[in-house]
Amino acid sequence: MKKYLSSLVFAAVTFAQPLLAQNVDQGKKFFYYERYKSARETFEKILAANPNDINATYWLGQSLLELKDTAAAKALYQKALASNGNAPLLLAGMGGLELTEGKKDEARQRFETALSMSKSKDIAVINAIGRANTEAKNGDAGYAIEKLTAATQIKGFNSPETWILIGDAYRKQVDGGAAVSSYQKALALDPNYAGAKQAIGKVYLTQRNAEIFVPAFEDAIKMDPNYGPAYFELYYYYFNRDINKAKDYFDKYAAVTDVTPALDYERSSLLFAARRYDEAISTANSYISKLGDQADPRYYKLIAYSYNEKNDSINAKKYLDDYFAKQKEDGFVPKDYEFRATLLSKFPGNEAEAMASFDKAIALDTAQASRMELMSNAAAFAKKSGNRQLEADILGRLYTVKPNPSNVDLYNWGFANYQAQRYPTADSIFNVYIEKYPNEIFGYLWTARAKQAQDTTMSQGLAVPAYERLATKATELDPVKYKQQAVTSYFYLVSYYNDIKKDKATATKYLDKVLEVDPGNADASRIKDILNKPAKKSPAGGSKSPAK
């Protein structure tokens, strides 16, 4: 009888383990689909049946972190570690949480202990360490890449998730090429891994390359029609472009994702996209009235945007101020600060605060293309506000971060410094322009003008070599097109040699050069006649030069 009972217990345990693993896998599947509410509920049910399930505990903590419930995640990991202090996966999870708190040294110690205890052979543990360092602001992407890449060499390795995490770490380092290569390796292991195709799309999304990212998101859906994140990206892309497509993708997204307050907000925002601003305002206000302090702060932003479109800046600013007062720090996106800057600019006296908002937007945006757009907008705002020094500073930052800055970028940076009366800086920038674009006139022209601005009395002769070079280059490049630049340069040299150096012969030589490029120049002929007129004799027999 005992033997029979023992066999029943053994069978129950043996068959229960695959069932339990399947439940954990289902929870992980929800997590993969970014259905964090469903993932949390799944892992909570598993832990209700088996409080010591380490895998379920780790993934419940990750789900709570994604749901912005850091306190619950911390309490969960602390309680689990109290009884399972040597569990590598829990150590990795706690390390990730510590990274979110800025405790980098403590987190690194957790990771190293987890690796040591698992002999750096447990893919799940290494993935957890990679995930923590990739997702946390204080995480070390290089460390993640090192550990994850080593994991791909473990015998029997077959984890597309690892390659996804490597790609995410490279994205954190703003290395899009390496990121895409890693995501493609994930697809090589699992050709139907929709998350990998989605990740590739997001790389090109940051580059504003719709010809690649739109098909990538569409391919992700074809690979897995239940993959909600791809529907959401397409909904968001078409939000301000095609309301019908946006609504279609939103409906498809809503059918495969969790019902949450965030979903209600997105549904409300579609009213704004459809330009039904009054309905958007009333709907958002109804949620605020119904939910009170629990209402999504973005409803205030939605109302602000709607009033702005109705040209009601006063109400727009009021609701945007409410949004900034209620939103958590990690809930802001770069566009929030840009919108605030443009809205503040409509009220005189707020220029400094508006520029501070632009700076926050730029600092927050990690996507290169949108960050550069923000910098361009901020520079334009600074120029409009009359702050040419700030404009010059922003354009300088923009020039240094652009992967392939153009001659126009360099010119704008130099010209802004000239307008800001930073003449030595402008001179240096336009000398760089000459080095890069020797067959364009602009570098020669503005180095001459910058030198002239530094020596307005001509007493130092700072601009003389620059104007000589400008005149020579103007005639070399195109004497017809750049005749005016050559003439202006020669007249400057006439003034310098006649007025400062008292060298009438050299001044006359430059007048002749004016007449070479512009034979009909009446001023050159008139001045030459004056310089060549014999000096009048003084009563004492002296002479006096007519040209003073």
Side-chain angles (χ1 to χ4, degrees), residues 426-449:
D427 183 22
S428 298
I429 293 170
F430 281 113
N431 269 303
V432 173
Y433 194 102
I434 290 170
E435 293 174 12
K436 288 181 172 291
Y437 310 102
N439 293 322
E440 293 186 11
I441 197 69
F442 305 106
Y444 305 100
L445 173 63
W446 287 100
T447 52
R449 290 182 177 177

Side-chain angles (χ1 to χ4, degrees), residues 381-395:
F381 177 77
K383 180 179 180 180
K384 184 179 178 181
S385 302
N387 193 335
R388 304 310 294 263
Q389 290 190 5
L390 185 57
E391 178 199 8
D393 290 341
I394 296 171
L395 288 176

Side-chain angles (χ1 to χ4, degrees), residues 21-285:
Q22 180 61 42
N23 286 336
V24 171
D25 287 342
Q26 182 59 54
K28 289 173 64 177
K29 192 74 170 179
F30 282 132
F31 190 93
Y32 165 72
Y33 283 145
E34 298 182 13
R35 296 181 59 177
Y36 303 119
K37 177 185 173 185
S38 292
R40 183 197 67 199
E41 292 170 351
T42 301
F43 296 127
E44 285 175 341
K45 289 177 182 177
I46 295 171
L47 290 174
N50 181 4
N52 294 316
D53 189 297
I54 291 172
N55 283 326
T57 302
Y58 168 77
W59 283 105
L60 175 57
Q62 296 303 296
S63 301
L64 290 169
L65 287 172
E66 292 292 345
L67 291 167
K68 309 298 183 185
D69 196 345
T70 306
K74 185 174 184 178
L76 174 73
Y77 284 145
Q78 286 177 330
K79 181 180 178 182
L81 283 169
S83 55
N84 296 284
N86 294 326
L89 194 58
L90 296 180
L91 289 169
M94 191 63 186
L97 194 143
E98 287 170 336
L99 280 179
T100 66
E101 298 176 333
K103 301 175 181 177
K104 294 190 284 186
D105 293 338
E106 292 92 329
R108 179 61 65 88
Q109 186 174 353
R110 299 266 192 193
F111 299 144
E112 289 298 318
T113 302
L115 289 169
S116 176
M117 300 200 69
S118 60
K119 300 181 180 180
S120 296
K121 299 293 184 182
D122 190 324
I123 299 296
V125 171
I126 298 171
N127 283 351
I129 292 170
R131 181 178 300 105
N133 280 278
T134 298
E135 294 190 357
K137 182 179 180 180
N138 293 306
D140 186 339
Y143 179 75
I145 292 168
E146 175 192 343
K147 301 305 178 185
L148 291 165
T149 302
T152 65
Q153 304 303 310
I154 295 174
K155 186 177 180 180
F157 170 80
N158 191 35
S159 170
E161 182 186 4
T162 304
W163 283 115
I164 293 292
L165 292 167
I166 293 172
D168 290 347
Y170 276 121
R171 277 191 67 199
K172 188 172 185 176
Q173 292 184 331
V174 198
D175 188 344
V180 170
S181 177
S182 300
Y183 298 142
Q184 288 172 334
K185 289 176 181 176
L187 283 171
L189 289 177
D190 183 354
N192 292 315
Y193 202 99
K197 185 61 74 170
Q198 162 90 350
I200 290 172
K202 294 193 79 167
V203 171
Y204 290 100
L205 176 63
T206 61
Q207 300 172 7
R208 307 288 182 87
N209 192 337
E211 292 184 359
I212 297 181
F213 72 70
V214 170
F217 296 147
E218 291 171 342
D219 286 345
I221 292 168
K222 292 175 185 175
M223 291 175 177
D224 186 350
N226 291 315
Y227 191 70
Y231 290 115
F232 185 85
E233 291 294 348
L234 289 166
Y235 145 71
Y236 199 76
Y237 172 70
Y238 285 111
F239 186 84
N240 289 318
R241 293 174 173 84
D242 187 328
I243 183 60
N244 293 321
K245 282 188 175 181
K247 187 176 185 308
D248 180 54
Y249 280 117
F250 175 79
D251 290 342
K252 290 175 179 176
Y253 169 69
V256 296
T257 196
D258 291 338
V259 177
T260 63
L263 195 66
D264 291 332
Y265 169 79
E266 295 298 343
R267 185 175 286 107
S268 301
S269 69
L270 279 168
L271 295 169
F272 173 84
R275 301 183 181 181
R276 293 156 60 180
Y277 305 125
D278 289 332
E279 289 181 68
I281 291 169
S282 62
T283 301
N285 271 320

Side-chain angles (χ1 to χ4, degrees), residues 367-382:
Q368 189 177 60
S370 56
R371 191 163 187 255
M372 290 189 296
E373 182 181 353
L374 280 170
M375 286 183 179
S376 295
N377 293 343
F381 177 77

Side-chain angles (χ1 to χ4, degrees), residues 7-19:
S7 298
L8 284 178
V9 171
F10 176 77
V13 172
T14 302
F15 288 105
Q17 290 300 321
L19 180 60

